Structure formats: C-alpha cells, structure tokens
Amino acid sequence: MKGLLIKDFKLLKAQRGFFTVMIFMTVGLAFSVYDTSFIIGYLCFILPMFALSTISYDEFDNGNAFLFTLPISREGYVIEKYGFGILLGIGALILAVALSLIVGSVKGTGDFTDILLSVPYIFSAMTVFLAIMIPVQLKFGGEKSRFVMVALVGAAVALIVGIAKVLGLMGVDTRMLTDILSSLHAGILIAGAVGLALCAALLSIKVSIAILSKKEF
Amino acid sequence: MLEIRNLKKDYKDFSLDCSMRVKEGRITGLIGQNGAGKSTTFKAVLGLISFSGGSITILGKDVTEFSARDKEKLGVVFPDSGFSGYLTVKDIVPVLKSMYEEFDLPFFIAQAGRFGLPLDKKIKDFSTGMKAKLKVLVAVSHRAKLLILDEPTAGLDVVARDELLLMLREYMEQDEERAILISSHISSDLETICDDLYMIHQGRIILHEDTDVLLSDYALLKVDPEQYDALDKQYVLYRKEEAYGYSCLTNQRQFYIENYPQIAIEKGTIDSIITMMIRGAKK
C-alpha cells in the first residue's frame, strides 16, 4: 500500500503546475470575497478529487492490468485510494484553514472560532463525497461516472424534496427538525457528523472492494 | 514453476482450453497469432481474469491462493500496459523499492544507464524501445523467480530486441532456479531464446516441443503429385496443397533425407511449422 501511495503522490507531483495555479486562484478568491471560510470548502473538495483522477490515471492505457501484477491486492488498492483521498483532504483542510486565517487577519474579517468550528463539518462532507465518488468511479470509470454523478445528485434532490412533500402532506412540520438540530450541543452535532461520515466511508470501502474484486483486466 | 491444467475461459466468440507447464531453469515460449489466446492465458495465470474451469499452480500455490506477497516472486511484462506515462523512472524507483523487499536499486540504476533510459523524462515521452526495455528492467530488478512476459518485443527494431533478449539471458544466468514464460508472434525471437515452445491456435495448444527438436527434426517436404503418391506418409503430420503439388510437414527429417534424396526438403522454421499446422490438413 505504501508503494501505491508513493505512486499517487508522484502523480500528484506531476500535476504540480495545476495545483499551484489552483492555490493562487484560491488566495485571489479569498481576497475578493468577504467570507474567507468559503475557501475551506472550495479547496477541500477540489484537492481530494485528485484521488479520483488517480483512478483514471491507473485505468488509462490499460494500466490496471500491469498494476495488479505488482505485489498489491485488490483490497489494498481500494483502501489506498480512500487513504489517499483522506490524506489529500486533511492536507487541503490544513492549507485552507491557514490561508483563511491569514487572509482573514490581513483583511480584518472572519471569525476564527467560526472557521475552526466549520472544519469537522467540512471534513465529514468531504469524506461522504469520497465515499460516494470512489465506488462510482471504480464501477463506471472516468467518463461514465460523470453522468452517473449527475443522475445521483438529481435523484438525491428528488428524494429530499419528495420526503419533505410527504412529511408536509402528513402534517409534520419540517422546521421542527431544524429546530431540534440547532438546539443540540455543538459537540454532539460534530460527533454525529463525523460518525456518520466514517460509517459512510466504511460502507463505501466494502462496496468498492466488491466492485473491484469482480473486475477483469 | 507453473502448471496450467485444462484452463477454460469462454467469451462470446472465443473459448480457451489450454494446458501447459513451465519448468525450473527453462525459458518456455508461447507462440500464436494475434487473438490465439496468449494474453488470455497470461491474464488468467496472473489472476487478472476469472476462468470457468481447470486449475493453475504457480510457484507451488493455486492461483486463487496466490497472495500480494507471493507476487514479489514474479516479474511481469504486458505489451499494452505499464506504469503511468506521467511518471518518470526516478518516480517509480521509490515505488518499486517499497513494493519489493528484494528490489536491487544499484542494479536497476546501472541497467537504466546501460540501456540509455533517462531518469528524469516522463515515460510517455519514451520511444517504443525505451518503454519496452524499462518494462523488462522492472521485471528483472527484484530477483523474481518467474518472469511472465507477454509480447515483450512487440514493435521493437532488431537492436532493441537483441538488447532485450540479452537482459533475459543475463537474468537466467544469475540463478538456476529461475524460469521465464514468454509469448510472441515473432518466431525468430523465440527460436533464439526458448528451450521449449508451445503453439496456441484458436484457444488450443496445438504443439509442444523442445526448440532444438523443432529446428532439427521438423522439415517441409516439397513434392509434386507423383512424388507425393510414392511417399511413405507415416511421418507426415500435416499436408497442404501447393501450385507445384504438396508441402508436407514432418517431424522425422532424417528419415526423408535418407530415403528420399530426390525430393526437396526444407529445414523447419517456427513460421513454416505454424503455417502448416494452421493452414494444412492433418494426416
């Protein structure tokens, strides 16, 4: 697994031009918008997406056939992709928080506590994002997975709107739910969000291993 | 080292049914046309595809029990697959170092220099020959017991092919307990390096013979219809109609040289034997 991680970091290094431009753009954005916490969300979704790109790099030119003759297992490959994604996410989070705090203090805007409080939620959202995207990418490959993602987002929105409508018809006040959530202690909310994200990641790893173990190269 | 028994794999328009063996200390060749089943056999051996019947034993273990750790004892080359082209040789060194306990870094660097492989250039910018040499170098740099090489010489010029075959000979000379399974559709590559050869056609092994025997005992008899009628056909394996009469494949060249001095007898080459076995009619 260490070898695969090194390979993916080397691939990342090969794209350093793109990432340098992205970081400069982020700094520029941070100066042009009032709320610098925006850049945390931005960086933490863009950078881990490179974990998905490495799956495409591996597939490109039938590369997987050779890759799986190296001393790695299919399970090891899957776990490495999640590990790589999370590592990138944590790296992005640290970079983004630092940038956000620096830009915030230069401009005299932004609340440090708010920025730090948003970290676990963004980390959870990023983990869930990877938990959905990695199995989709492994199953459908780079091209098709974009269409599948659009369909998935559409289905999720339809589902949420549907549930809200049904609850409305049943006479349940949906605002009550948000009231309950906002009345909870921040610690409980954070623990809940992180816990849910980790559960999603574990389930997703299982699904990804099942997808990859059936693949033929 | 490797034993394949009645390996079966079915696709819509192709089915494989293959048995073969690679012994210690030997270089075994698998030769066949494009689409004959060479790559399918290799992929099944390496656990890259499932198969519907038969068994594969590799380095004493059933292929289904062959672990990631066990794969350290293998060196593999595929014609259309390798490390990402966006990496450089320098990038893949730490990858190999952490994957293979026995990765020989000084050997790898020395060989890369010897074969003119630049360390800082992206692999995608390598020439076909450089890419092929890198693939073989990766396969021989971690003291593997068995090399599985699918078309390692595909698309190479004569000089690059010679260098590559040299690398393989040197690999075998270092340890008697090693073996190589190599495929090609270029017979001359295999003639010079293999101890024994399997021929595969439409998913079936149609011939297995020591290379020495193939080249010394097999021959083409070129006969007109009269000579054909008079010919003792007990050692004729295949017959093919030609403009002048018939060409016949035999595995008893000496018998016909001694008994039929008047007929044209051409020494067997792997290409001529394959052509006869595929195009000719079995006797």
Side-chain angles (χ1 to χ4, degrees):
Chain A
M1 196 149 77
K2 191 178 149 204
L4 284 175
L5 269 178
I6 295 172
K7 172 191 70 70
D8 285 347
F9 276 111
K10 295 287 182 189
L11 282 171
L12 182 79
K13 196 191 87 189
Q15 302 298 319
R16 59 185 176 273
F18 168 75
F19 289 104
T20 314
V21 170
M22 198 191 74
I23 287 164
F24 275 111
M25 270 177 61
T26 312
V27 174
L29 271 173
F31 275 106
S32 61
V33 294
Y34 176 78
D35 185 6
T36 53
S37 66
F38 155 78
I39 63 169
I40 302 180
Y42 176 71
L43 267 186
C44 292
F45 280 87
I46 295 286
L47 254 177
M49 268 182 77
F50 190 73
L52 305 172
S53 302
T54 61
I55 298 177
S56 294
Y57 277 109
D58 294 343
E59 281 172 356
F60 189 64
D61 273 348
N62 197 29
N64 273 337
F66 171 73
L67 201 61
F68 285 101
T69 66
L70 296 174
I72 57 163
S73 64
R74 296 186 183 211
E75 291 82 2
Y77 177 86
V78 165
I79 292 166
E80 185 272 338
K81 286 299 171 205
Y82 284 82
F84 183 60
I86 299 278
L87 277 177
L88 285 182
I90 291 171
L93 211 51
I94 293 169
L95 181 71
V97 168
L99 274 178
S100 181
L101 292 179
I102 292 166
V103 175
S105 63
V106 169
K107 283 168 55 181
T109 59
D111 184 334
F112 287 3
T113 324
D114 273 358
I115 288 172
L116 292 177
L117 266 178
S118 69
V119 167
Y121 294 110
I122 290 172
F123 176 78
S124 305
M126 179 200 81
T127 307
V128 170
F129 169 73
L130 284 175
I132 295 168
M133 282 307 287
I134 290 178
V136 169
Q137 182 90 12
L138 286 173
K139 175 84 183 166
F140 299 100
E143 285 300 310
K144 274 194 221 160
S145 65
R146 285 189 205 120
F147 296 109
V148 175
M149 261 325 278
V150 172
L152 273 180
V153 170
V157 170
L159 188 72
I160 292 166
V161 171
I163 289 172
K165 281 228 161 149
V166 170
L167 288 176
L169 284 175
M170 287 163 69
V172 179
D173 187 359
T174 46
R175 273 177 304 178
M176 204 177 70
L177 285 171
T178 45
D179 287 345
I180 292 171
L181 281 176
S182 53
S183 68
L184 285 174
H185 187 271
I188 297 173
L189 277 176
I190 288 170
V194 174
L196 270 176
L198 292 179
C199 286
L202 287 176
L203 181 70
S204 171
I205 288 174
K206 276 199 130 185
V207 172
S208 292
I209 289 174
I211 289 169
L212 201 64
S213 58
K214 282 190 195 123
K215 274 208 163 185
E216 302 211 329
F217 301 108
Chain B
M1 299 294 265
L2 174 66
E3 188 166 7
I4 303 170
R5 283 177 297 264
N6 303 108
L7 172 68
K8 288 186 176 63
K9 174 78 181 172
D10 296 307
Y11 291 108
K12 220 190 279 170
D13 48 2
F14 173 80
S15 77
L16 179 78
D17 186 351
C18 155
S19 295
M20 61 185 295
R21 216 170 164 185
V22 180
K23 289 183 192 159
E24 204 175 274
R26 287 174 78 89
I27 303 181
T28 298
L30 179 62
I31 191 159
Q33 293 167 301
N34 293 326
K38 302 188 296 284
S39 294
T40 306
T41 306
F42 280 47
K43 285 182 176 180
V45 166
L46 292 162
L48 297 172
I49 56 170
S50 61
F51 50 93
S52 52
S55 65
I56 299 169
T57 310
I58 181 164
L59 300 176
K61 273 192 174 180
D62 191 273
V63 70
T64 53
E65 288 160 12
F66 206 70
S67 68
R69 192 77 200 268
D70 295 325
K71 286 199 265 183
E72 286 193 42
K73 297 281 166 226
L74 299 180
V76 181
V77 169
F78 279 122
D80 56 352
S81 179
F83 276 112
S84 168
Y86 291 92
L87 298 174
T88 63
V89 174
K90 223 180 205 170
D91 288 336
I92 64 171
V93 164
V95 177
L96 294 169
K97 218 170 149 187
S98 66
M99 280 189 173
Y100 293 99
E101 218 167 83
E102 296 213 43
F103 179 65
D104 190 343
L105 180 62
F107 170 81
F108 183 87
I109 297 294
Q111 295 293 310
R114 178 183 170 200
F115 292 111
L117 302 175
L119 301 181
D120 288 317
K121 198 173 179 178
K122 283 188 176 163
I123 298 170
K124 71 181 171 67
D125 299 325
F126 277 21
S127 68
T128 311
M130 281 153 88
K131 280 183 193 163
K133 279 186 259 180
L134 176 64
K135 284 179 192 176
V136 174
L137 179 56
V138 168
V140 298
S141 293
H142 53 271
R143 300 188 181 102
K145 286 271 169 223
L146 174 65
L147 297 189
I148 297 179
L149 314 174
D150 189 9
E151 303 268 4
T153 55
L156 297 188
D157 59 53
V158 184
V159 178
R161 255 164 43 203
D162 280 349
E163 283 181 329
L164 211 142
L165 296 178
L166 176 70
M167 241 197 274
L168 298 181
R169 280 196 198 96
E170 287 174 352
Y171 162 83
M172 286 301 282
E173 280 163 13
Q174 284 163 16
D175 185 349
E176 286 174 0
E177 289 174 3
R178 291 176 170 177
I180 301 178
L181 170 62
I182 178 171
S183 82
S184 180
H185 61 274
I186 303 164
S187 57
S188 56
D189 288 350
L190 300 185
E191 268 177 16
T192 53
I193 198 171
C194 291
D195 298 300
D196 61 322
L197 280 169
Y198 284 87
M199 281 185 200
I200 188 166
H201 180 58
Q202 293 176 343
R204 308 284 184 275
I205 298 290
I206 54 170
L207 179 76
H208 175 222
E209 194 67 86
D210 279 351
T211 315
D212 291 346
V213 175
L214 267 182
L215 298 179
S216 63
D217 295 358
Y218 281 65
L220 280 187
L221 315 174
K222 302 198 163 180
V223 290
D224 60 33
E226 273 174 36
Q227 287 171 325
Y228 181 75
D229 287 338
L231 198 69
D232 179 348
K233 298 179 191 70
Q234 64 170 319
Y235 300 120
V236 170
L237 304 173
Y238 287 84
R239 183 194 74 178
K240 192 166 148 259
E241 279 189 50
E242 305 282 1
Y244 54 78
Y246 298 99
S247 60
C248 305
L249 178 70
T250 178
N251 59 353
Q252 297 291 334
R253 179 167 157 256
Q254 203 53 35
F255 172 81
Y256 290 100
I257 288 177
E258 284 166 11
N259 295 295
Y260 298 92
Q262 73 282 12
I263 66 172
I265 299 177
E266 215 172 69
K267 219 173 165 187
T269 62
I270 291 174
D271 280 336
S272 62
I273 295 167
I274 293 178
T275 310
M276 281 301 291
M277 295 188 84
I278 293 171
R279 303 254 178 269
K282 205 167 183 175
K283 285 298 293 172

mmCIF file with all atom_site columns, all heavy atoms in Angstrom, chain A residues 78-93:
data_model
loop_
_atom_site.group_PDB
_atom_site.id
_atom_site.type_symbol
_atom_site.label_atom_id
_atom_site.label_alt_id
_atom_site.label_comp_id
_atom_site.label_asym_id
_atom_site.label_entity_id
_atom_site.label_seq_id
_atom_site.pdbx_PDB_ins_code
_atom_site.Cartn_x
_atom_site.Cartn_y
_atom_site.Cartn_z
_atom_site.occupancy
_atom_site.B_iso_or_equiv
_atom_site.pdbx_formal_charge
_atom_site.auth_seq_id
_atom_site.auth_comp_id
_atom_site.auth_asym_id
_atom_site.auth_atom_id
_atom_site.pdbx_PDB_model_num
ATOM 1   N N   . VAL A 1 78 ? -8.033  -0.568 -3.005 1.00 0.00 ? 78 VAL A N   1
ATOM 2   C CA  . VAL A 1 78 ? -9.213  0.217  -2.621 1.00 0.00 ? 78 VAL A CA  1
ATOM 3   C C   . VAL A 1 78 ? -8.918  1.048  -1.367 1.00 0.00 ? 78 VAL A C   1
ATOM 4   O O   . VAL A 1 78 ? -9.162  2.260  -1.335 1.00 0.00 ? 78 VAL A O   1
ATOM 5   C CB  . VAL A 1 78 ? -10.418 -0.727 -2.372 1.00 0.00 ? 78 VAL A CB  1
ATOM 6   C CG1 . VAL A 1 78 ? -11.530 -0.001 -1.624 1.00 0.00 ? 78 VAL A CG1 1
ATOM 7   C CG2 . VAL A 1 78 ? -10.941 -1.277 -3.686 1.00 0.00 ? 78 VAL A CG2 1
ATOM 8   N N   . ILE A 1 79 ? -8.351  0.389  -0.358 1.00 0.00 ? 79 ILE A N   1
ATOM 9   C CA  . ILE A 1 79 ? -8.084  1.096  0.905  1.00 0.00 ? 79 ILE A CA  1
ATOM 10  C C   . ILE A 1 79 ? -7.107  2.250  0.660  1.00 0.00 ? 79 ILE A C   1
ATOM 11  O O   . ILE A 1 79 ? -7.259  3.340  1.215  1.00 0.00 ? 79 ILE A O   1
ATOM 12  C CB  . ILE A 1 79 ? -7.563  0.098  1.974  1.00 0.00 ? 79 ILE A CB  1
ATOM 13  C CG1 . ILE A 1 79 ? -8.713  -0.858 2.347  1.00 0.00 ? 79 ILE A CG1 1
ATOM 14  C CG2 . ILE A 1 79 ? -7.068  0.822  3.228  1.00 0.00 ? 79 ILE A CG2 1
ATOM 15  C CD1 . ILE A 1 79 ? -8.295  -2.080 3.103  1.00 0.00 ? 79 ILE A CD1 1
ATOM 16  N N   . GLU A 1 80 ? -6.124  2.012  -0.207 1.00 0.00 ? 80 GLU A N   1
ATOM 17  C CA  . GLU A 1 80 ? -5.152  3.071  -0.503 1.00 0.00 ? 80 GLU A CA  1
ATOM 18  C C   . GLU A 1 80 ? -5.833  4.288  -1.107 1.00 0.00 ? 80 GLU A C   1
ATOM 19  O O   . GLU A 1 80 ? -5.500  5.430  -0.784 1.00 0.00 ? 80 GLU A O   1
ATOM 20  C CB  . GLU A 1 80 ? -4.078  2.524  -1.459 1.00 0.00 ? 80 GLU A CB  1
ATOM 21  C CG  . GLU A 1 80 ? -2.953  3.490  -1.747 1.00 0.00 ? 80 GLU A CG  1
ATOM 22  C CD  . GLU A 1 80 ? -3.186  4.434  -2.928 1.00 0.00 ? 80 GLU A CD  1
ATOM 23  O OE1 . GLU A 1 80 ? -4.014  4.118  -3.815 1.00 0.00 ? 80 GLU A OE1 1
ATOM 24  O OE2 . GLU A 1 80 ? -2.558  5.488  -2.978 1.00 0.00 ? 80 GLU A OE2 1
ATOM 25  N N   . LYS A 1 81 ? -6.828  4.055  -1.998 1.00 0.00 ? 81 LYS A N   1
ATOM 26  C CA  . LYS A 1 81 ? -7.497  5.197  -2.640 1.00 0.00 ? 81 LYS A CA  1
ATOM 27  C C   . LYS A 1 81 ? -8.237  6.046  -1.615 1.00 0.00 ? 81 LYS A C   1
ATOM 28  O O   . LYS A 1 81 ? -8.224  7.275  -1.677 1.00 0.00 ? 81 LYS A O   1
ATOM 29  C CB  . LYS A 1 81 ? -8.489  4.713  -3.718 1.00 0.00 ? 81 LYS A CB  1
ATOM 30  C CG  . LYS A 1 81 ? -7.819  4.219  -4.987 1.00 0.00 ? 81 LYS A CG  1
ATOM 31  C CD  . LYS A 1 81 ? -6.999  5.280  -5.686 1.00 0.00 ? 81 LYS A CD  1
ATOM 32  C CE  . LYS A 1 81 ? -6.180  4.690  -6.810 1.00 0.00 ? 81 LYS A CE  1
ATOM 33  N NZ  . LYS A 1 81 ? -4.983  5.469  -7.126 1.00 0.00 ? 81 LYS A NZ  1
ATOM 34  N N   . TYR A 1 82 ? -8.905  5.386  -0.657 1.00 0.00 ? 82 TYR A N   1
ATOM 35  C CA  . TYR A 1 82 ? -9.595  6.140  0.394  1.00 0.00 ? 82 TYR A CA  1
ATOM 36  C C   . TYR A 1 82 ? -8.572  6.874  1.254  1.00 0.00 ? 82 TYR A C   1
ATOM 37  O O   . TYR A 1 82 ? -8.764  8.043  1.608  1.00 0.00 ? 82 TYR A O   1
ATOM 38  C CB  . TYR A 1 82 ? -10.450 5.205  1.267  1.00 0.00 ? 82 TYR A CB  1
ATOM 39  C CG  . TYR A 1 82 ? -11.725 4.770  0.585  1.00 0.00 ? 82 TYR A CG  1
ATOM 40  C CD1 . TYR A 1 82 ? -11.714 3.712  -0.327 1.00 0.00 ? 82 TYR A CD1 1
ATOM 41  C CD2 . TYR A 1 82 ? -12.928 5.420  0.813  1.00 0.00 ? 82 TYR A CD2 1
ATOM 42  C CE1 . TYR A 1 82 ? -12.864 3.300  -0.975 1.00 0.00 ? 82 TYR A CE1 1
ATOM 43  C CE2 . TYR A 1 82 ? -14.097 5.019  0.163  1.00 0.00 ? 82 TYR A CE2 1
ATOM 44  C CZ  . TYR A 1 82 ? -14.055 3.966  -0.727 1.00 0.00 ? 82 TYR A CZ  1
ATOM 45  O OH  . TYR A 1 82 ? -15.186 3.576  -1.380 1.00 0.00 ? 82 TYR A OH  1
ATOM 46  N N   . GLY A 1 83 ? -7.490  6.156  1.593  1.00 0.00 ? 83 GLY A N   1
ATOM 47  C CA  . GLY A 1 83 ? -6.442  6.759  2.415  1.00 0.00 ? 83 GLY A CA  1
ATOM 48  C C   . GLY A 1 83 ? -5.854  7.973  1.720  1.00 0.00 ? 83 GLY A C   1
ATOM 49  O O   . GLY A 1 83 ? -5.680  9.032  2.341  1.00 0.00 ? 83 GLY A O   1
ATOM 50  N N   . PHE A 1 84 ? -5.596  7.839  0.444  1.00 0.00 ? 84 PHE A N   1
ATOM 51  C CA  . PHE A 1 84 ? -5.006  8.934  -0.330 1.00 0.00 ? 84 PHE A CA  1
ATOM 52  C C   . PHE A 1 84 ? -5.973  10.119 -0.372 1.00 0.00 ? 84 PHE A C   1
ATOM 53  O O   . PHE A 1 84 ? -5.579  11.265 -0.166 1.00 0.00 ? 84 PHE A O   1
ATOM 54  C CB  . PHE A 1 84 ? -4.675  8.433  -1.734 1.00 0.00 ? 84 PHE A CB  1
ATOM 55  C CG  . PHE A 1 84 ? -4.000  9.447  -2.616 1.00 0.00 ? 84 PHE A CG  1
ATOM 56  C CD1 . PHE A 1 84 ? -2.788  10.009 -2.255 1.00 0.00 ? 84 PHE A CD1 1
ATOM 57  C CD2 . PHE A 1 84 ? -4.573  9.836  -3.824 1.00 0.00 ? 84 PHE A CD2 1
ATOM 58  C CE1 . PHE A 1 84 ? -2.159  10.938 -3.066 1.00 0.00 ? 84 PHE A CE1 1
ATOM 59  C CE2 . PHE A 1 84 ? -3.955  10.762 -4.647 1.00 0.00 ? 84 PHE A CE2 1
ATOM 60  C CZ  . PHE A 1 84 ? -2.741  11.324 -4.262 1.00 0.00 ? 84 PHE A CZ  1
ATOM 61  N N   . GLY A 1 85 ? -7.251  9.826  -0.607 1.00 0.00 ? 85 GLY A N   1
ATOM 62  C CA  . GLY A 1 85 ? -8.271  10.876 -0.652 1.00 0.00 ? 85 GLY A CA  1
ATOM 63  C C   . GLY A 1 85 ? -8.365  11.626 0.675  1.00 0.00 ? 85 GLY A C   1
ATOM 64  O O   . GLY A 1 85 ? -8.390  12.856 0.718  1.00 0.00 ? 85 GLY A O   1
ATOM 65  N N   . ILE A 1 86 ? -8.374  10.845 1.768  1.00 0.00 ? 86 ILE A N   1
ATOM 66  C CA  . ILE A 1 86 ? -8.486  11.459 3.108  1.00 0.00 ? 86 ILE A CA  1
ATOM 67  C C   . ILE A 1 86 ? -7.222  12.276 3.410  1.00 0.00 ? 86 ILE A C   1
ATOM 68  O O   . ILE A 1 86 ? -7.299  13.386 3.948  1.00 0.00 ? 86 ILE A O   1
ATOM 69  C CB  . ILE A 1 86 ? -8.698  10.368 4.196  1.00 0.00 ? 86 ILE A CB  1
ATOM 70  C CG1 . ILE A 1 86 ? -9.995  9.585  3.929  1.00 0.00 ? 86 ILE A CG1 1
ATOM 71  C CG2 . ILE A 1 86 ? -8.655  10.956 5.608  1.00 0.00 ? 86 ILE A CG2 1
ATOM 72  C CD1 . ILE A 1 86 ? -11.263 10.205 4.406  1.00 0.00 ? 86 ILE A CD1 1
ATOM 73  N N   . LEU A 1 87 ? -6.059  11.721 3.058  1.00 0.00 ? 87 LEU A N   1
ATOM 74  C CA  . LEU A 1 87 ? -4.796  12.458 3.287  1.00 0.00 ? 87 LEU A CA  1
ATOM 75  C C   . LEU A 1 87 ? -4.810  13.787 2.532  1.00 0.00 ? 87 LEU A C   1
ATOM 76  O O   . LEU A 1 87 ? -4.425  14.825 3.071  1.00 0.00 ? 87 LEU A O   1
ATOM 77  C CB  . LEU A 1 87 ? -3.598  11.630 2.821  1.00 0.00 ? 87 LEU A CB  1
ATOM 78  C CG  . LEU A 1 87 ? -3.067  10.577 3.799  1.00 0.00 ? 87 LEU A CG  1
ATOM 79  C CD1 . LEU A 1 87 ? -1.922  9.800  3.160  1.00 0.00 ? 87 LEU A CD1 1
ATOM 80  C CD2 . LEU A 1 87 ? -2.590  11.225 5.093  1.00 0.00 ? 87 LEU A CD2 1
ATOM 81  N N   . LEU A 1 88 ? -5.273  13.729 1.275  1.00 0.00 ? 88 LEU A N   1
ATOM 82  C CA  . LEU A 1 88 ? -5.358  14.971 0.492  1.00 0.00 ? 88 LEU A CA  1
ATOM 83  C C   . LEU A 1 88 ? -6.334  15.935 1.138  1.00 0.00 ? 88 LEU A C   1
ATOM 84  O O   . LEU A 1 88 ? -6.092  17.141 1.200  1.00 0.00 ? 88 LEU A O   1
ATOM 85  C CB  . LEU A 1 88 ? -5.823  14.667 -0.933 1.00 0.00 ? 88 LEU A CB  1
ATOM 86  C CG  . LEU A 1 88 ? -4.816  14.026 -1.884 1.00 0.00 ? 88 LEU A CG  1
ATOM 87  C CD1 . LEU A 1 88 ? -5.447  13.840 -3.255 1.00 0.00 ? 88 LEU A CD1 1
ATOM 88  C CD2 . LEU A 1 88 ? -3.563  14.882 -2.010 1.00 0.00 ? 88 LEU A CD2 1
ATOM 89  N N   . GLY A 1 89 ? -7.446  15.378 1.623  1.00 0.00 ? 89 GLY A N   1
ATOM 90  C CA  . GLY A 1 89 ? -8.465  16.196 2.267  1.00 0.00 ? 89 GLY A CA  1
ATOM 91  C C   . GLY A 1 89 ? -7.909  16.886 3.503  1.00 0.00 ? 89 GLY A C   1
ATOM 92  O O   . GLY A 1 89 ? -8.127  18.087 3.711  1.00 0.00 ? 89 GLY A O   1
ATOM 93  N N   . ILE A 1 90 ? -7.178  16.120 4.323  1.00 0.00 ? 90 ILE A N   1
ATOM 94  C CA  . ILE A 1 90 ? -6.605  16.698 5.547  1.00 0.00 ? 90 ILE A CA  1
ATOM 95  C C   . ILE A 1 90 ? -5.580  17.774 5.176  1.00 0.00 ? 90 ILE A C   1
ATOM 96  O O   . ILE A 1 90 ? -5.559  18.862 5.765  1.00 0.00 ? 90 ILE A O   1
ATOM 97  C CB  . ILE A 1 90 ? -5.979  15.585 6.431  1.00 0.00 ? 90 ILE A CB  1
ATOM 98  C CG1 . ILE A 1 90 ? -7.104  14.698 6.992  1.00 0.00 ? 90 ILE A CG1 1
ATOM 99  C CG2 . ILE A 1 90 ? -5.156  16.188 7.574  1.00 0.00 ? 90 ILE A CG2 1
ATOM 100 C CD1 . ILE A 1 90 ? -6.632  13.449 7.699  1.00 0.00 ? 90 ILE A CD1 1
ATOM 101 N N   . GLY A 1 91 ? -4.759  17.453 4.151  1.00 0.00 ? 91 GLY A N   1
ATOM 102 C CA  . GLY A 1 91 ? -3.770  18.437 3.681  1.00 0.00 ? 91 GLY A CA  1
ATOM 103 C C   . GLY A 1 91 ? -4.462  19.702 3.214  1.00 0.00 ? 91 GLY A C   1
ATOM 104 O O   . GLY A 1 91 ? -4.048  20.817 3.571  1.00 0.00 ? 91 GLY A O   1
ATOM 105 N N   . ALA A 1 92 ? -5.540  19.527 2.449  1.00 0.00 ? 92 ALA A N   1
ATOM 106 C CA  . ALA A 1 92 ? -6.286  20.676 1.918  1.00 0.00 ? 92 ALA A CA  1
ATOM 107 C C   . ALA A 1 92 ? -6.893  21.483 3.063  1.00 0.00 ? 92 ALA A C   1
ATOM 108 O O   . ALA A 1 92 ? -6.896  22.716 3.044  1.00 0.00 ? 92 ALA A O   1
ATOM 109 C CB  . ALA A 1 92 ? -7.383  20.191 0.976  1.00 0.00 ? 92 ALA A CB  1
ATOM 110 N N   . LEU A 1 93 ? -7.388  20.747 4.059  1.00 0.00 ? 93 LEU A N   1
ATOM 111 C CA  . LEU A 1 93 ? -8.027  21.396 5.216  1.00 0.00 ? 93 LEU A CA  1
ATOM 112 C C   . LEU A 1 93 ? -7.023  22.273 5.961  1.00 0.00 ? 93 LEU A C   1
ATOM 113 O O   . LEU A 1 93 ? -7.312  23.443 6.284  1.00 0.00 ? 93 LEU A O   1
ATOM 114 C CB  . LEU A 1 93 ? -8.557  20.292 6.142  1.00 0.00 ? 93 LEU A CB  1
ATOM 115 C CG  . LEU A 1 93 ? -9.789  20.569 6.970  1.00 0.00 ? 93 LEU A CG  1
ATOM 116 C CD1 . LEU A 1 93 ? -10.921 21.099 6.130  1.00 0.00 ? 93 LEU A CD1 1
ATOM 117 C CD2 . LEU A 1 93 ? -10.228 19.305 7.694  1.00 0.00 ? 93 LEU A CD2 1
#
